[in-house]
Amino acid sequence: MVDPVSVAERIKKENQREAQELAQRRQHAQNLGKHMARQILQRYPEARRVWGFGSTYETWRSYRPTSDIDLALEGGDVLEILRLTEGCEIPIDLVSLEDCPPSMAAAIRSHGVVLAEVSCD
């Protein structure tokens, strides 16, 4: 006979383990996105700022094992810069704030996170 208490405990532990692994993956994705943002600014001087947005950075959004990293650029040629992100262990989607719809740009600026920007020294 199956003990429902032990089954419930096993399921609870498995859910906790999965939640912990997902939190670690999100943290890794955030760090990778920040690293890529710095690389973009170093290699492409026309880029001025890189934002992180979407479920990787907006922690109120649902994050899944298949979530990618969403980055938005201010300045720079997205198609050229996209080559830098090819082959990353976590897929990266790249958009230009200048080319996306104004409502999307406003949402990114409102809810996203600045990952790297050129200082005006």
Side-chain angles (χ1 to χ4, degrees):
M1 178 175 224
V2 175
D3 177 20
V5 173
S6 64
V7 170
E9 281 298 316
R10 183 177 48 79
I11 291 170
K12 180 180 176 183
K13 286 179 183 179
E14 179 68 19
N15 288 343
Q16 289 172 337
R17 184 189 61 75
E18 288 175 2
Q20 182 179 14
E21 287 175 0
L22 199 55
Q24 289 172 344
R25 185 185 190 281
R26 177 182 254 170
Q27 183 64 54
H28 177 65
Q30 290 172 345
N31 293 340
L32 179 59
K34 190 167 197 160
H35 171 76
M36 292 306 298
R38 289 190 297 250
Q39 291 292 311
I40 289 168
L41 294 186
Q42 286 175 358
R43 294 183 187 187
Y44 300 93
E46 66 278 7
R48 299 180 310 278
R49 184 175 295 128
V50 182
W51 294 78
F53 68 102
S55 63
T56 297
Y57 295 97
E58 298 166 13
T59 56
W60 51 271
R61 295 180 67 172
S62 179
Y63 188 80
R64 293 182 289 284
T66 58
S67 291
D68 60 6
I69 300 170
D70 296 308
L71 300 180
L73 297 175
E74 287 185 43
D77 181 342
V78 170
L79 293 178
E80 185 179 332
I81 295 171
L82 191 60
R83 288 186 287 178
L84 179 65
T85 67
E86 289 176 352
C88 282
E89 63 187 276
I90 299 173
I92 296 178
D93 283 341
L94 199 57
V95 299
S96 166
L97 283 179
E98 290 89 357
D99 296 334
C100 68
S103 60
M104 182 178 178
I108 292 169
R109 287 186 174 107
S110 175
H111 301 292
V113 176
V114 175
L115 300 177
E117 64 185 327
V118 176
S119 62
C120 298
D121 293 344

